């Protein structure tokens, strides 16, 4: 990576498991600036020494992270944006970190992905060296492992002909595309994207045009100007470029399926099926047949020719497991087995089938709390929780009126104006049903207003006792409720500075991080 990192004005670092920098490579000019804050070989960047920073957080949380500008604890580090990814050995032990750092104004969205890919590449290289000594795996297995990057990777010649492609890319372009010119592949649109400085690299975005496929949502359908939703949208777009499982969290009606479809549409699997499954609607007696299908004559009343299950239908595409928190424990065990083995066996059949799917799950429940209560399997939770994105409730967003105007335009043209009284009423409401409720209320308002502007009297809210209970009114607080309220109050009072908030709460910053994640508290 040296040439590209150097040209981009950034620096790559290798850090050991204690947080000490053991190697650096990159732009000399930036390196000189970095020395001023001890971003150099021999310095230790563990959290206990350097406060919040990407290296320290990755060592603590054991997952990739980006820390941008003022998110660093020390003000002297605010000029930095850093992306870090953990490196594990063959037994799963954390042995170090790959970090890419640069000035915040030079940061590019691909830097985070590049750090993750570098860490994965290093792990594969170490496994190869280990296998040469111990002969634990065959060369064929090693080649398969090195090909199993989540991102579609293509090597091009100078005249844009495809020289090599990994498995994710082959799924898109087909094995017969090797040797062909990328820009002339039938059924694909190709867009060349340059980074803002025209220095680091040229990347190619490939989108397969699926014929006769129903239109799914894409990221352009996610409307809003609120910084929180924009951040979640950016995170989802990065997730779409990988094949990692995604867990979408948030209240009912916040747009989890919209995000799920958008991730699929922007992914390398966009030309393949998107299959949605409502996990709360599966009868316990039909779990296996619904998920895995059944063979001919498997049970009384079954289709005489058998039937493919949801997982087989989603082969090579994406399966969306909605309301995963309501899935019965028996179904959870069956689901975990399939996710671990990538093999299904239809009911009444002795023949197994290999499946290749990307999993996106969603729930409005606190899965960590469900695990503690024994209602959700911990092993399944961690299997699904590859990339987790918590979507904000509508009442927490600053762009309610923007969303309202967008929905109105979908219902009627020309879009009727909202009077000031109507706007104030929309902003004052608690929205227990979130965007789904807003859409229904606006639909009714368009009908009642006719060709007139929408006024407050046209907005009919049904704030029942159930809704009041959901919004916290007239309800006895639990200990968890009290903790959530205290954390949110401290975050707001500290200007969302996690270290200051932890100090106010008299807990460690790592404990605060864990509770924010456990309770699904939205930052900003």
């Amino acid at each position: 990576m040296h040439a590209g990192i150097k040209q981009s004005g950034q620096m790559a670092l290798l850090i050991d498991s204690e947080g000490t920098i053991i190697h650096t490579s990159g732009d000399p000019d930036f390196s000189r600036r970095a020395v001023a804050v001890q971003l150099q070989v021999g310095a230790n960047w563990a959290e206990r020494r350097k406060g919040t920073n990407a290296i320290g957080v990755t060592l603590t949380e054991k997952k990739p992270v980006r820390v941008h500008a003022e998110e660093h604890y020390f003000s002297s580090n605010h000029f930095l944006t850093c992306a870090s990814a953990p490196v594990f050995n063959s037994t799963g032990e954390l042995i170090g970190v790959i970090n890419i750092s640069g000035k915040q104004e030079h940061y590019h969205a691909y830097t985070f992905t590049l750090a993750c890919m570098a860490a994965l590449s290093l792990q594969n290289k170490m496994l190869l060296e280990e296998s040469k000594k111990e002969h634990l795996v065959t060369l064929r297995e090693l080649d398969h492992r090195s090909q199993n990057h989540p991102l579609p990777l293509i090597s091009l010649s100078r005249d844009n002909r495809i020289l090599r492609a990994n498995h994710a890319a082959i799924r898109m372009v087909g094995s017969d595309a090797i040797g062909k010119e990328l820009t002339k592949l039938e059924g694909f649109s190709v867009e060349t994207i340059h980074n803002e400085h025209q220095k680091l690299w040229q990347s190619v975005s490939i989108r397969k045009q699926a014929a006769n496929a129903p239109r799914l949502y894409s990221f352009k359908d996610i409307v809003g100007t609120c910084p929180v939703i924009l951040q979640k949208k950016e995170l989802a777009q990065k997730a779409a470029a990988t094949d990692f499982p995604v867990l979408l969290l948030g209240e009912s009606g916040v747009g989890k399926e919209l995000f799920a479809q958008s991730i699929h549409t922007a992914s390398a699997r966009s030309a393949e099926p998107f299959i949605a499954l409502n996990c709360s609607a599966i009868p316990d007696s039909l779990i296996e047949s619904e998920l895995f299908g059944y063979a001919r004559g498997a049970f009384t009343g079954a289709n005489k020719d058998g039937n493919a299950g949801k997982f087989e239908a989603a082969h090579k595409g994406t399966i969306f497991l909605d309301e995963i928190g309501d899935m019965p424990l028996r179904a959870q065990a069956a689901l975990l087995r399939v996710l671990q083995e990538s093999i299904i066996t239809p009911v009444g059949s002795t023949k197994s089938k290999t499946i290749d799917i990307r999993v996106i799950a969603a729930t409005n429940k606190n899965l960590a709390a469900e695990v503690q209560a024994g209602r959700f399997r911990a092993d399944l939770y961690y299997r699904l929780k590859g990339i987790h994105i918590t979507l904000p409730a509508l009442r927490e967003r600053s762009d309610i009126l923007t969303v309202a105007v967008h929905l109105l335009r979908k219902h009627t043209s020309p879009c009727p104006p909202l009077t000031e009284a109507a706007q104030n009423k929309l902003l004052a409401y608690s929205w227990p049903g979130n965007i789904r409720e807003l859409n229904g209320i606006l639909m009714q308002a368009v009908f009642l207003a006719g060709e007139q502007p929408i006024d407050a009297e046209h907005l009919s809210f049904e704030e029942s006792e159930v809704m009041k209970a959901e919004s916290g009114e007239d309800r006895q607080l639990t200990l968890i409720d009290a903790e959530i309220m205290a954390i949110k109050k401290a975050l707001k009072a500290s200007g969302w500075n996690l270290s200051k908030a932890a100090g106010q709460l008299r807990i460690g910053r790592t404990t605060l991080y864990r509770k924010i994640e456990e309770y699904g508290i939205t930052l900003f």
Side-chain angles (χ1 to χ4, degrees):
M1 300 189 301
H2 174 74
I5 291 293
K6 180 179 179 181
Q7 291 174 3
S8 70
Q10 300 183 95
M11 180 169 67
L13 306 95
L14 184 64
I15 299 95
D16 69 15
S17 60
E18 299 299 319
T20 301
I21 300 172
I22 58 177
H23 184 72
T24 65
S25 178
D27 177 49
D29 292 335
F30 173 74
S31 298
R32 283 190 286 272
R33 175 74 190 276
V35 167
V37 293
Q38 296 184 316
L39 196 63
Q40 59 185 350
V41 171
N44 186 284
W45 278 68
E47 259 190 318
R48 66 182 182 277
R49 294 178 176 270
K50 293 290 187 179
T52 301
N53 70 88
I55 296 169
V57 174
T58 294
L59 286 171
T60 302
E61 303 292 335
K62 298 183 179 181
K63 62 185 179 183
V65 68
R66 183 192 77 169
V67 175
H68 174 63
E70 287 80 7
E71 293 173 351
H72 288 89
Y73 177 74
F74 288 111
S75 58
S76 58
N77 296 332
H78 287 181
F79 76 99
L80 293 169
T81 293
C82 308
S84 292
V87 180
F88 301 94
N89 64 15
S90 59
T91 63
E93 178 188 5
L94 177 68
I95 58 172
V97 170
I98 292 284
N99 173 272
I100 300 177
S101 294
K103 294 180 181 179
Q104 58 166 292
E105 60 268 24
H106 290 169
Y107 179 78
H108 194 283
Y110 290 119
T111 304
F112 180 82
T113 303
L114 189 60
C116 295
M117 290 174 60
L120 182 59
S121 178
L122 181 55
Q123 289 174 190
N124 288 338
K125 177 66 175 177
M126 290 188 297
L127 181 64
L128 176 62
E129 293 300 322
E130 184 178 322
S131 69
K132 288 178 180 177
K133 299 175 183 177
E134 300 182 14
H135 307 288
L136 292 177
V137 288
T138 66
L139 288 177
R140 178 173 296 180
E141 288 171 327
L142 285 167
D143 182 62
H144 171 76
R145 192 178 182 89
S146 65
Q147 279 280 319
N148 200 29
H149 279 282
L151 297 176
L153 304 175
I154 294 177
S155 298
L156 300 176
S157 65
R158 292 184 180 274
D159 58 354
N160 280 333
R161 294 187 181 277
I162 300 176
L163 300 178
R164 288 172 60 100
N166 71 344
H167 292 329
I170 288 293
R171 281 200 301 265
M172 293 183 67
V173 301
S175 57
D176 60 343
I178 304 298
K180 294 181 180 178
E181 188 175 340
L182 177 64
T183 54
K184 293 184 178 180
L185 289 180
E186 185 176 352
F188 287 83
S189 64
V190 180
E191 177 186 3
T192 302
I193 308 169
H194 299 274
N195 80 320
E196 58 203 62
H197 302 290
Q198 297 290 309
K199 289 181 180 179
L200 181 53
W201 57 70
Q202 165 180 299
S203 66
V204 180
S205 172
I206 313 170
R207 180 66 54 80
K208 188 170 183 180
Q209 313 298 308
N212 302 321
R215 182 189 178 278
L216 297 174
Y217 288 116
S218 64
F219 283 113
K220 67 181 180 181
D221 296 308
I222 301 176
V223 175
T225 56
C226 175
V228 179
I229 201 67
L230 293 177
Q231 181 205 33
K232 303 303 180 183
K233 185 175 177 180
E234 179 187 2
L235 185 59
Q237 287 171 321
K238 291 178 182 178
T242 75
D243 223 15
F244 299 141
V246 175
L247 180 60
L248 299 171
L249 305 169
E251 298 177 7
S252 295
V254 295
K256 295 189 288 292
E257 182 156 6
L258 171 59
F259 266 77
Q261 291 189 19
S262 299
I263 291 171
H264 171 79
T265 303
S267 74
R269 299 175 181 265
S270 58
E272 306 299 339
F274 175 89
I275 303 297
L277 174 65
N278 188 331
C279 298
S280 65
I282 309 174
D284 200 50
S285 59
L286 297 178
I287 288 170
E288 281 82 3
S289 60
E290 184 74 15
L291 296 179
F292 317 130
Y294 54 85
R296 180 177 180 177
F299 51 85
T300 303
N303 188 313
K304 65 177 182 179
D305 297 320
N307 190 53
K310 297 291 187 182
F311 276 84
E312 186 176 353
H315 181 53
K316 293 189 176 181
T318 301
I319 189 163
F320 175 48
L321 303 173
D322 198 10
E323 306 296 349
I324 188 71
D326 295 313
M327 177 176 268
L329 284 169
R330 177 166 161 241
Q332 292 177 32
L335 174 60
L336 178 65
R337 186 170 63 252
V338 173
L339 297 182
Q340 288 175 333
E341 301 172 2
S342 297
I343 294 174
I344 61 170
T345 304
V347 175
S349 174
T350 57
K351 295 182 179 179
S352 298
K353 301 178 181 179
T354 301
I355 55 167
D356 171 22
I357 56 172
R358 197 258 180 91
V359 177
I360 302 177
T363 181
N364 61 0
K365 292 191 172 182
N366 183 334
L367 285 189
E370 293 294 297
V371 169
Q372 288 193 351
R375 293 187 292 267
F376 201 85
R377 294 180 62 111
D379 44 10
L380 178 58
Y381 172 52
Y382 292 114
R383 172 71 63 170
L384 295 171
K385 189 186 170 186
I387 300 172
H388 55 286
I389 303 173
T390 302
L391 303 183
L394 184 59
R395 62 183 170 277
E396 298 171 345
R397 293 175 57 168
S398 60
D399 58 356
I400 293 175
L401 296 180
T402 301
V403 176
V405 171
H406 170 72
L407 294 174
L408 282 172
R409 286 175 178 157
K410 291 174 64 176
H411 291 315
T412 184
S413 181
C415 177
L418 289 162
T419 67
E420 184 176 352
Q423 293 181 29
N424 291 335
K425 190 172 181 179
L426 289 173
L427 292 173
Y429 185 53
S430 61
W431 298 111
N434 292 293
I435 297 174
R436 188 180 295 125
E437 182 184 13
L438 173 61
N439 188 51
I441 285 174
L442 292 176
M443 190 184 302
Q444 172 80 352
V446 168
F447 171 73
L448 294 175
E451 298 181 357
Q452 301 300 314
I454 294 177
D455 204 352
E457 64 183 15
H458 301 131
L459 301 172
S460 304
F461 299 152
E462 296 181 6
E463 197 158 8
S464 66
E465 291 303 315
V466 173
M467 292 178 178
K468 286 181 180 179
E470 289 178 348
S471 64
E473 296 180 30
D474 299 324
R475 180 170 62 91
Q476 188 173 1
L477 291 177
T478 65
L479 180 59
I480 291 177
D481 292 329
E483 281 199 343
I484 291 172
M485 289 175 64
I487 290 171
K488 287 183 176 180
K489 185 177 180 180
L491 287 170
K492 290 179 181 178
S494 66
W496 302 98
N497 184 306
L498 294 179
S499 297
K500 289 182 180 179
Q504 291 178 20
L505 294 166
R506 299 183 182 180
I507 60 176
R509 201 186 58 74
T510 304
T511 301
L512 178 58
Y513 260 126
R514 177 174 55 78
K515 288 185 178 292
I516 288 172
E517 180 181 7
E518 179 181 340
Y519 298 146
I521 297 174
T522 303
L523 295 178
F524 301 111

